[in-house]
Amino acid sequence: MKKKLKTSRRRFVAAAAATTGLAAAATFVPARFAIGARAPVKIGVLLPFGGVYAMLGNSITDAMKLRIELAGGKLGGRDIEYVIVDSEWTPAKAPLKAKKLVSKDRVDFVVGPVHSGIAMAMSTVLRPRKLPIWIIPNAGNNKLTRELCAPHIFRTSFTNWQSAHVAGQLMANEGIKTAVTCTWKYAAGTQMMEAGKASFEKAGGKVIKELWVPFPDVEFQAYLSEIAALKPDAVFSFYSGGGAVKFVKDYAAAGLKDKIPLYGPGFLTEGATKAQGDAAEGIKTALHYADNLDTKEDNRFRAAYKKATGKDPNVFSVQGYDTGSLLLQAMAAVGGDAGAREEIIDVMETATFYDSPRGVWKMSKAHNPIQDIYIRRVEEGRQIKIGMGAEQLEDPATGCKMS
Ligand code: PHB
């Protein structure tokens, strides 16, 4: 993560962080606070804690806090105050919620959201400002690291293109010739279906029908009947959280599981197999995490997460954990000075995550992870890596011009 820093203050900060680790940064006191009276760093967290994506919001928050606790519970030597706001599940209220975090709570960082439409709504408030730095720990909306990229917008998760692109290839590699897509109709669904369809058709497949379900509806019967009548070789879907649980169960209950295999980005089964039970067994997906990576870093993370929450981790908790790592790295390098915008951006955009549970990844120039995408199959409720979908896959970042 080290990059040549331009000013002497930057040199001092980098040296302090490098020689004595994260805790050393505590010696640097931001100008606006007297010694002994350093205010906590404020992190605004805008995530869903109810509705179909509640599991995602909780997983991200728990793991972000855990990562920081494991490093001593401070950022650049300062205590932390979390301002936690429920994003709910539709974009309508997001601009107001983001505005309150910035103007009233005066947070130093914003972490959120899960939902691609909410991310777009938040961007109307956060993008025109230079601060706070905004870290997106899930929402994959391609636009935010393509044409709407900005120096102070970072993502620790994925673009909607990344795993869907690989999942489309997977389907073709498995000999599937015709597919029906079935997803929620909002930015994540449309962008993932577009990416999956493009790579599937490039490899010779054909999407014969696209089915769109309003978000966050989970009444799938009419769509399942249509799939049964169309008889494609496979179905390609994006659902997540409570919607994924219901869709995968309904798909099996409709008698389709053994006739028409389901494929998609791994969100379809991620964090959901306990509730999906047998209905999930055997489903193959593509994603930037699996349950059997068996690296030192992942085993440590899985044990710590289980101890802290009583639950098994999932990709969303990995993204939260890496959000904590990004905050730790940046705030250590600036000695806790959350206003040191240029320096923080320098550190964040050159960060490499050697200790990530998902495997080593680094931040792209457009501020999105360059990461491995695994092919997984659900076996006894676990997402088992059965192959490599793509190594260090980078989103094309079309149209991103940092200014
Ligand atoms: C999104 O809206 O970008 C989104 C939501 C849930 C996921 C993945 C992407 O699992």
Side-chain angles (χ1 to χ4, degrees):
M1 59 165 260
K2 293 284 163 325
K3 185 182 172 183
K4 279 215 174 69
L5 298 166
K6 292 160 213 147
T7 65
S8 57
R9 187 165 133 315
R10 285 186 190 185
R11 269 196 299 280
F12 158 73
V13 167
T19 51
T20 41
L22 301 177
T27 54
F28 181 75
V29 180
R32 63 181 186 282
F33 298 112
I35 290 177
R38 299 177 84 202
V41 183
K42 271 192 166 184
I43 303 183
V45 176
L46 193 53
L47 290 168
F49 299 104
V52 289
Y53 286 162
M55 178 273 287
L56 288 73
N58 285 316
S59 300
I60 293 167
T61 309
D62 287 350
M64 173 177 68
K65 289 183 173 174
L66 172 66
R67 176 70 184 90
I68 296 172
E69 279 307 311
L70 290 174
K74 291 179 191 270
L75 288 177
R78 293 171 62 188
D79 288 335
I80 303 164
E81 183 183 332
Y82 293 101
V83 183
I84 308 241
V85 179
D86 188 349
S87 68
E88 302 174 59
W89 48 87
T90 57
K93 295 187 206 156
L96 214 61
K97 289 179 191 240
K99 205 171 278 169
K100 180 179 167 291
L101 283 177
V102 175
S103 306
K104 182 154 176 289
D105 301 314
R106 306 185 77 79
V107 298
D108 297 301
F109 296 91
V110 172
V111 172
V114 153
H115 179 289
S116 275
I118 292 181
M120 279 302 279
M122 286 170 69
S123 81
T124 61
V125 173
L126 299 177
R127 194 171 172 276
R129 296 170 190 259
K130 293 195 154 183
L131 282 172
I133 305 272
W134 177 18
I135 305 174
I136 302 172
N138 189 73
N141 199 317
N142 296 336
K143 291 184 180 170
L144 290 166
T145 50
R146 291 189 183 177
E147 63 266 38
L148 295 179
C149 75
H152 63 298
I153 303 177
F154 291 87
R155 182 149 47 200
T156 51
S157 51
F158 53 84
T159 63
N160 289 330
W161 175 85
Q162 281 176 304
S163 61
H165 168 75
V166 175
Q169 289 176 335
L170 164 67
M171 205 160 60
N173 290 343
E174 300 241 306
I176 302 295
K177 300 285 181 237
T178 60
V180 168
T181 64
C182 180
T183 190
W184 275 319
K185 189 169 177 55
Y186 82 97
T190 53
Q191 292 177 358
M192 289 191 213
M193 294 306 105
E194 186 190 7
K197 179 180 174 181
S199 60
F200 176 58
E201 294 199 334
K202 190 161 179 229
K206 179 81 194 138
V207 169
I208 56 169
K209 179 92 185 179
E210 300 178 13
L211 300 174
W212 303 100
V213 180
F215 179 86
D217 281 9
V218 291
E219 286 311 319
F220 299 117
Q221 287 314 323
Y223 307 94
L224 297 173
S225 302
E226 201 167 345
I227 289 166
L230 287 162
K231 296 190 175 54
D233 290 347
V235 168
F236 188 82
S237 285
F238 159 71
Y239 291 101
S240 187
V245 170
K246 180 82 167 32
F247 183 74
V248 167
K249 286 178 81 169
D250 286 2
Y251 196 85
L256 295 174
K257 178 172 161 51
D258 298 325
K259 293 192 196 123
I260 306 173
L262 253 184
Y263 291 91
F267 308 115
L268 204 51
T269 49
E270 193 69 19
T273 51
K274 219 172 174 175
Q276 288 166 337
D278 283 349
E281 288 296 302
I283 296 181
K284 290 183 195 164
T285 60
L287 204 65
H288 48 285
Y289 189 54
D291 290 335
N292 65 333
L293 295 180
D294 199 24
T295 60
K296 184 165 59 66
E297 293 75 19
D298 190 38
N299 291 340
R300 193 188 302 138
F301 160 72
R302 295 182 75 88
Y305 188 84
K306 182 94 187 187
K307 191 169 166 215
T309 66
K311 296 181 192 134
D312 291 321
N314 53 54
V315 77
F316 312 109
S317 34
V318 171
Q319 293 161 187
Y321 193 78
D322 289 347
T323 300
S325 295
L326 185 61
L327 286 163
L328 284 163
Q329 289 187 42
M331 287 295 279
V334 295
D337 182 1
R341 178 180 185 272
E342 303 306 317
E343 290 89 337
I344 290 175
I345 290 173
D346 264 356
V347 173
M348 287 191 170
E349 71 186 2
T350 53
T352 298
F353 295 76
Y354 293 106
D355 65 348
S356 173
R358 73 183 91 171
V360 178
W361 65 272
K362 63 174 195 271
M363 201 59 92
S364 73
K365 287 202 173 68
H367 298 178
N368 186 70
I370 302 174
Q371 57 192 338
D372 291 343
I373 308 289
Y374 309 108
I375 305 298
R376 314 108 46 88
R377 183 174 56 219
V378 177
E379 293 175 15
E380 294 175 1
R382 299 177 71 222
Q383 321 281 345
I384 301 299
K385 175 186 164 191
I386 54 167
M388 203 64 181
E391 276 180 32
Q392 296 295 293
L393 185 67
E394 181 170 2
D395 184 87
T398 315
C400 169
K401 288 191 193 69
M402 289 287 174
S403 55

